[in-house]
């Protein structure tokens, strides 16, 4: 499944994003692609290719499949979060 975080501050690098996603234990993160935001050069869009674990977090996977989103607080020292949703981009 391909996931999208449409707005990530450019100060967060690929390793930080990868580590944060691995801590969620949703499955195997296969690939991370970053592209600059069209609207604001201080942000980027992140696409994540993930292979889900079959049993764990199936409720979260179902929510994403339905088109819902999940907010992840990636840094407990800030009030900011990432909104993660299923990507609608074609591969």
């Amino acid at each position: 499944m391909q996931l999208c975080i449409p707005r990530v501050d450019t100060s967060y690098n690929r390793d930080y994003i990868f580590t944060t996603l691995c801590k969620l234990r949703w499955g195997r993160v296969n690939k991370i692609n970053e592209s600059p935001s069209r609207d604001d050069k201080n942000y980027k869009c992140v696409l994540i290719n993930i292979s889900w674990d079959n049993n764990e977090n199936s409720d979260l996977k179902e929510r994403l499949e339905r088109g819902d989103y999940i907010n992840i607080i990636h840094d407990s020292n800030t009030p900011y979060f990432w909104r993660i949703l299923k990507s609608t981009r074609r591969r």
Side-chain angles (χ1 to χ4, degrees), residues 65-80:
E65 288 283 356
R66 286 194 313 261
D68 292 342
Y69 59 85
I70 298 169
N71 290 335
I72 300 297
I73 298 173
H74 57 92
D75 182 355
S76 61
N77 296 320
T78 66
Y80 305 115

Side-chain angles (χ1 to χ4, degrees), residues 25-85:
R25 302 185 72 188
W26 287 357
R28 182 171 173 241
V29 176
N30 300 315
K31 189 174 184 180
I32 296 176
N33 289 323
E34 302 169 311
S35 59
S37 172
R38 295 178 190 164
D39 303 328
D40 190 339
K41 61 183 170 184
N42 296 316
Y43 293 93
K44 59 187 170 184
C45 176
V46 178
L47 297 175
I48 303 114
N49 194 330
I50 186 170
S51 298
W52 286 82
D53 288 338
N54 291 330
N55 298 327
E56 291 187 41
N57 301 310
S58 61
D59 56 331
L60 296 176
K61 182 179 177 184
E62 289 173 14
R63 283 181 56 195
L64 293 167
E65 288 283 356
R66 286 194 313 261
D68 292 342
Y69 59 85
I70 298 169
N71 290 335
I72 300 297
I73 298 173
H74 57 92
D75 182 355
S76 61
N77 296 320
T78 66
Y80 305 115
F81 61 88
W82 290 338
R83 179 164 286 178
I84 300 178
L85 48 113

